[in-house]
Amino acid sequence: MASGRIRLPKRLAQVGAFAMANPDEIAFGTVASIAEKAAVQPSTLVRFSQAIGFQGFSDLQAVFRDRLRDRVAPYDDRLRSLRADGRGASAAAAVFDGFCAAATRSIEALHERADLQAIDAAVALLARAETIYLIAQRRSYPIASTLNYAFGKLGVKTVLVGSPNGVDAETVSFATERDAAIAISFTPYASATVDLTRQIARRTPVVVVTDSPFSPLVADGRIWFEVVEADYQGFRSLAATMALAMTLAVAVAEARRRSAENGTYVPD
């Protein structure tokens, strides 16, 4: 489905996009609750399941539950114990616990599912770049800003794309095949990020960080990472995304240092 080899009617594709972006909802939800959140009729879930080779929705749901079978959630157990001890009495304490739990689930999921070979490949690609362009808007912008700061402290040349005078398209036009870019966007994908990524990808390799194989950024990424942040009361943090971003920054700087020590070419 993500590669485009399977074509589905609009409503079935809508279910597929929801399932890829919200695997835990598919695993734990009911037909009624999932249909409501995916904005489709319950019968559409059955038709989607049958369209991709399952007898019914319960068979599809079993696949999503299997991936969670061995997952442990010790932090959730700890939170329940804390509440039992009376620590969650105030509203602020409950919110704090909720965001800590969501951040922990996000990082655990990323750690469990991350493709280490893809991380190595991204590091190698970025380490060879003369300049790394950082593209993000809205909720994703703090990640790009942090990367800009970290790379700067580590001696890696970057350009943070995001100007108040609207010259971002001109900024990315200076990127060449000797450079690289990191593009970050999550649902509902910022149109400016999508457009700038598409523009720079015509000649410059891009590392994409997004939340679904259905993301419009995936097609333009030389390498892409799926990061799905858990939420608390509908609010999502950037805990897992920040962990991946700092991994890339530090690993790229280390790769460039090793290259310099070995006498191989490292861009200024």
Side-chain angles (χ1 to χ4, degrees):
M1 288 169 56
S3 67
R5 291 193 296 268
I6 298 176
R7 298 291 182 182
L8 295 173
K10 179 180 178 180
R11 288 300 182 189
L12 301 190
Q14 183 175 330
V15 174
F18 179 85
M20 297 295 287
N22 303 275
D24 289 0
E25 291 285 351
I26 300 295
F28 297 123
T30 65
V31 170
S33 67
I34 295 168
E36 181 179 1
K37 292 178 179 178
V40 297
Q41 294 296 319
S43 60
T44 307
L45 299 180
V46 178
R47 290 193 293 113
F48 170 77
S49 303
Q50 293 173 342
I52 59 175
F54 294 95
Q55 290 187 345
F57 179 72
S58 60
D59 296 321
L60 172 65
Q61 192 173 45
V63 174
F64 284 81
R65 287 178 174 172
D66 283 344
R67 65 179 280 275
L68 301 174
R69 181 172 297 166
D70 298 325
R71 181 183 293 180
V72 296
Y75 197 83
D76 287 345
D77 294 339
R78 290 170 56 191
L79 286 179
R80 282 191 288 270
S81 298
L82 289 173
R83 294 192 184 99
D85 292 338
R87 240 194 86 175
S90 76
V95 172
F96 179 66
D97 284 349
F99 278 114
C100 285
T104 301
R105 289 197 303 272
S106 299
I107 292 172
E108 286 178 345
L110 175 65
H111 189 262
E112 176 186 317
R113 298 164 56 186
D115 184 342
L116 299 182
Q117 290 184 335
I119 292 176
D120 286 339
V123 168
L125 185 155
L126 296 169
R128 292 192 300 268
E130 292 184 359
T131 301
I132 300 174
Y133 288 76
L134 306 171
I135 306 171
Q137 298 281 333
R138 296 162 53 178
R139 184 168 73 93
S140 306
Y141 187 80
I143 301 297
S145 179
T146 298
L147 278 171
N148 186 50
Y149 174 81
F151 276 129
K153 288 294 186 181
L154 293 167
V156 179
K157 183 181 178 182
T158 60
V159 172
L160 180 59
V161 180
S163 61
N165 56 358
V167 295
D168 294 335
E170 289 79 3
T171 298
V172 300
S173 70
F174 292 109
T176 72
E177 67 277 0
R178 297 187 302 275
D179 302 317
I182 300 176
I184 310 165
S185 191
F186 306 108
T187 307
Y189 312 101
S191 59
T193 299
V194 174
D195 292 342
L196 291 169
T197 301
R198 187 168 294 132
Q199 178 185 342
I200 202 170
R202 294 170 188 161
R203 59 194 173 281
T204 305
V206 181
V207 174
V208 166
V209 180
T210 189
D211 57 0
S212 169
F214 290 91
S215 166
L217 296 182
V218 168
D220 294 311
R222 181 78 58 86
I223 302 166
W224 72 278
F225 297 97
E226 180 182 9
V227 182
V228 180
E229 301 278 1
D231 73 276
Y232 174 69
Q233 299 294 340
F235 296 95
R236 297 181 188 274
S237 72
L238 293 167
T241 313
M242 190 66 76
L244 176 61
M246 292 307 298
T247 296
L248 293 176
V250 174
V252 165
E254 176 62 15
R256 289 165 65 98
R257 183 191 64 78
R258 289 197 306 268
S259 295
E261 289 179 350
N262 295 335
T264 55
Y265 172 73
V266 177
D268 293 333

